[in-house]
Structures are given as C-alpha cells and as structure tokens.
Amino acid sequence: MTAQPFVLVRGEVVREVPPEIARFSVTVAARDKNRPAALSRLAERSEAVRALVDEYGDAIERRETGDLWVRPELKRSGEKVTGYAGSATTVVTVTDFGVLGELMLRLADQDQATVAGPWWELRPGSPVHREARRAAVAEAIARAREYADALGAEVTALLHLSDAGLTAQPLMMTRAAHTMGYRAAGGAPPELELDPQVQTVHATVEARFAITPPRLAPE
C-alpha cells in the first residue's frame, strides 16, 4: 500500500501594533518616630493618590493596591525602636494615553511619592491575537500550496494543525520617565509627552497537508 504523500509546513506571522493599555506604579512613603503618626501619614498620602487617580474617570481602567509594608526602624545594635517607616504602592492601568503623562507627573508631585513606568501592553483577549493566528494559518496554507505546486501536485486535505505558540512581546520603555519622584518648583508640574511603544505579536502554527502524488520529472 502506497503511503499518502504529504507536506509539513510552518505558518509564521509577526505584527507590530500600537499598545492598548499602559500601566504604571506610584509608591508613597511615610516615616515618623511615633507609630500612629507614621501610619496616619501613610494613610493620608495613599488616599491622596486614590483621589487624584479617580479624577481621571473613564481614562482609568483599573486601580489596584500593590505592596504595602510598615516596619520599625532599629538602632544598628540592639532592638531599640527609633521610629517607624512604611510605604504603599498603587498600580494604575490607563487606556487614554493623552492624559498619561499629566497624571504621572501630578502623582510624582505628591509628598514622598515615587512613580515608575509606564509599561505598554495589549490586553490578553485583544483581537490582535486572533487576527495573527488566522494570518499564520493562511500563511501555512499558502506555503503548502507552493510546495505542492513545485512538486506538480495539489493540496487535498488538512491532516494536522497545531499552535506553536502566540506571544505578545512588549518592548521595555527606553524614553521619558522611567522613574519620577520630585516636587515641582512652583506651580503645576511640567507637561510630559509619552510615545506609546509598538507591541510585537508573533503567531506560529505547524500544519500537515495531504497532497496528490507528485509528478516528478525524470532525471
């Protein structure tokens, strides 16, 4: 019995697309010799961050509490407490990039605040992923037909299709405001324009197609 001839191909597509969301973090800190005073100051600064972020309404997709810690500060030797320190981090997800720079600078202008980011991303369920997968399948079909044509054959059926992986690869930010933590000298903080970073989406499939018997030219 003659084995069914087939071709095994890979379909691969790379897309560069604009990001859909940006994330950044803002951390406020407090320190005092008195524990209640340190805790109260930390709570006040955290609430100020929440209130400022809430001013931006629908431009904010999500506001989440990150790391929160409070610890006693000790002398270099012994266990005598000299004061208390703490910090609270908030992670903010923004969809309106037009207000991103302004928001980050306003937060950086708060007392004892450190701002880091932004980190540009696609949403996990972005249609860009689906479109890339479909394009990778189309590429595999086209490649199989090219190989079959070179053999004087035709593609007749799909025998196997596997997803070789789909990954979004956001680049690390290289411009403007990795970390900010300062007080503006008089008046409002300066304006800051941020350039959203292109996101690379990579989709790969492997497929096996049955073909008609090749018509190989004699040597």
Side-chain angles (χ1 to χ4, degrees):
M1 180 177 179
T2 304
Q4 170 70 54
F6 67 88
V7 292
L8 179 63
V9 296
R10 172 174 293 195
E12 190 169 8
V13 168
V14 177
R15 293 281 189 268
E16 290 189 341
V17 298
E20 296 171 340
I21 58 175
R23 301 182 194 274
F24 69 88
S25 67
V26 52
T27 301
V28 291
R31 177 177 284 104
D32 199 277
K33 293 182 178 180
N34 179 271
R35 177 164 51 189
L39 296 176
S40 177
R41 196 170 299 161
L42 182 61
E44 290 174 0
R45 289 171 180 167
S46 296
E47 184 56 35
V49 166
R50 294 168 61 90
L52 199 159
V53 170
D54 287 347
E55 290 181 17
Y56 288 79
D58 293 339
I60 308 302
E61 182 172 284
R62 189 176 299 120
R63 182 196 64 207
E64 302 169 298
T65 300
D67 292 338
L68 170 67
W69 59 264
V70 178
R71 69 184 180 210
E73 295 184 319
L74 308 177
K75 280 192 171 182
R76 292 186 178 180
S77 60
E79 296 184 353
K80 184 177 180 179
V81 176
T82 59
Y84 295 86
S87 75
T89 298
T90 301
V91 179
V92 183
T93 303
V94 180
T95 57
D96 183 353
F97 301 156
V99 303
L100 180 59
E102 173 190 303
L103 174 57
M104 292 180 70
L105 285 184
R106 287 186 65 191
L107 288 167
D109 198 41
Q110 300 294 301
D111 286 334
Q112 297 297 312
T114 299
V115 176
W119 302 286
W120 310 95
E121 301 175 20
L122 294 171
R123 292 186 178 88
S126 172
V128 172
H129 299 305
R130 181 174 63 253
E131 292 165 6
R133 287 191 292 266
R134 292 175 65 91
V137 171
E139 170 67 16
I141 294 172
R143 185 169 294 185
R145 286 173 174 163
E146 289 175 3
Y147 284 133
D149 183 66
L151 294 169
E154 295 181 356
V155 173
T156 59
L158 172 66
L159 302 177
H160 175 79
L161 178 68
S162 64
D163 186 352
L166 178 66
T167 57
Q169 300 170 332
L171 304 177
M172 295 303 295
M173 184 174 180
T174 58
R175 296 185 60 188
H178 284 280
T179 302
M180 296 174 284
Y182 64 89
R183 293 289 297 175
E191 294 184 1
L192 174 67
E193 283 192 26
L194 300 177
D195 299 322
Q197 289 185 312
V198 169
Q199 304 294 290
T200 302
V201 177
H202 182 199
T204 305
V205 297
E206 293 181 350
R208 181 181 298 143
F209 294 91
I211 61 174
T212 58
R215 296 191 298 272
L216 302 178
E219 295 182 357

